[in-house]
Amino acid sequence: MRLGVLSDIHANLPALEAALEALRDEGVDEALVLGDLVGYGPHPKQVIRRLLKEGLPAIAGAWDLRVAYPLPGTLPEGVGKATLEWTRSQLAEKELDYLRSLRLSHRKIYGERRLVAFHGTPGNPESHLDLLGPANQFVPLLERYSAAVLLLGGRHLPLSRRVGMGLVADPGSVGLSLSGEPGADAMILDTETLEVRFLKVPYDLGPLIFDLRAWGLPPVLEKVYRTGRFPKED
């Protein structure tokens, strides 16, 4: 079976629409979203409504929880803090209830293989593992969940690696890719062979940039959308 995997949409509707169309063109059998539906971008309400319309299973990312709940602690000054309250103000109770309904994990068996998915790390969407780090940090996770596939969203960088007989992968970011190339990231997983293919899907930046400016959101985001990386500070 071919599973389409998306993550980190970050309220970017044109990118989400392009990624969904690409998965349809690829003929995937199912699709899954690994969280961070909102935050940063100008389309939080529209993205949630589109996902509800599509009926796609999704898990909660750190930004979904920050928007849905008044979590303790504060964000450092910067782009994230500048968009958090604005994002929350754009959502009605229906959309906030949807974010609150999201679970922290997704688990499903395909044939004889178990797939588990999280945003960040199990139980903590705020933290992230280095997918290029030592393999022994992933082996206990695969064993704990008796899983052949471990999907971890949140790093905004598409990457997959085999760990023993299992697979660990991050699909990258649909709406705020940091791969150094503009476009929406998407991943296709063959659940039988564990082969992975990454897509970089172009989309029209015009409507996104127009809405970004119209709402007065941080201009640095425009540079990220155009280049696929946050600019270095002088």
Side-chain angles (χ1 to χ4, degrees):
M1 199 203 77
R2 300 174 77 235
L3 175 68
V5 187
L6 306 176
S7 187
D8 296 270
I9 301 166
H10 284 296
N12 183 340
L13 183 63
L16 173 60
E17 290 178 334
L20 290 173
E21 183 176 357
L23 292 183
R24 280 193 292 270
D25 290 345
E26 291 285 340
V28 299
D29 302 291
E30 292 181 8
L32 171 65
V33 183
L34 303 188
D36 272 5
L37 317 181
V38 298
Y40 294 114
H43 308 125
K45 182 185 292 285
Q46 297 92 327
V47 162
I48 290 175
R49 288 181 174 179
R50 184 58 185 271
L51 291 175
L52 284 169
K53 181 180 178 181
E54 295 285 339
L56 299 182
I59 59 178
W63 272 97
D64 306 319
L65 298 175
R66 289 178 189 140
V67 170
Y69 301 99
L71 297 178
T74 58
L75 288 170
E77 295 293 335
V79 180
K81 188 173 183 178
T83 63
L84 177 59
E85 289 301 326
W86 179 87
T87 298
R88 189 180 290 125
S89 73
Q90 297 299 302
L91 301 180
E93 199 62 27
K94 177 182 178 181
E95 288 91 29
L96 291 171
D97 284 343
Y98 170 71
L99 293 179
R100 294 174 188 132
S101 75
L102 299 177
R103 305 177 73 171
L104 294 180
S105 67
H106 176 85
R107 310 177 192 199
K108 189 167 182 178
I109 296 176
Y110 297 93
E112 297 182 353
R113 289 192 167 99
R114 180 186 297 273
L115 177 149
V116 295
F118 303 91
H119 188 94
T121 57
N124 188 354
E126 298 274 0
S127 68
H128 302 288
L129 294 173
D130 180 5
L131 265 66
L132 293 176
N136 59 15
Q137 68 181 326
F138 301 106
V139 172
L141 292 175
L142 291 165
E143 292 178 347
R144 181 195 307 175
Y145 299 102
S146 301
V149 179
L150 175 64
L151 301 180
L152 300 172
R155 296 179 66 254
H156 294 227
L157 294 168
L159 183 66
S160 68
R161 63 182 292 187
R162 297 299 293 262
V163 177
M165 298 296 290
L167 172 78
V168 181
D170 184 330
S173 173
V174 170
L176 203 66
S177 177
L178 298 181
S179 64
E181 180 182 359
D185 297 328
M187 187 182 99
I188 299 176
L189 167 67
D190 187 315
T191 60
E192 295 181 8
T193 65
L194 300 189
E195 293 180 355
V196 169
R197 186 157 63 92
F198 292 106
L199 307 179
K200 176 63 77 170
V201 186
Y203 63 92
D204 184 1
L205 285 173
L208 175 67
I209 301 303
F210 179 89
D211 289 340
L212 186 76
R213 295 174 178 175
W215 286 109
L217 295 175
V220 67
L221 289 170
E222 181 175 338
K223 297 179 181 179
V224 181
Y225 297 135
R226 294 187 184 280
T227 64
R229 57 170 59 91
F230 273 97
K232 295 182 179 179
E233 295 183 359
D234 296 330

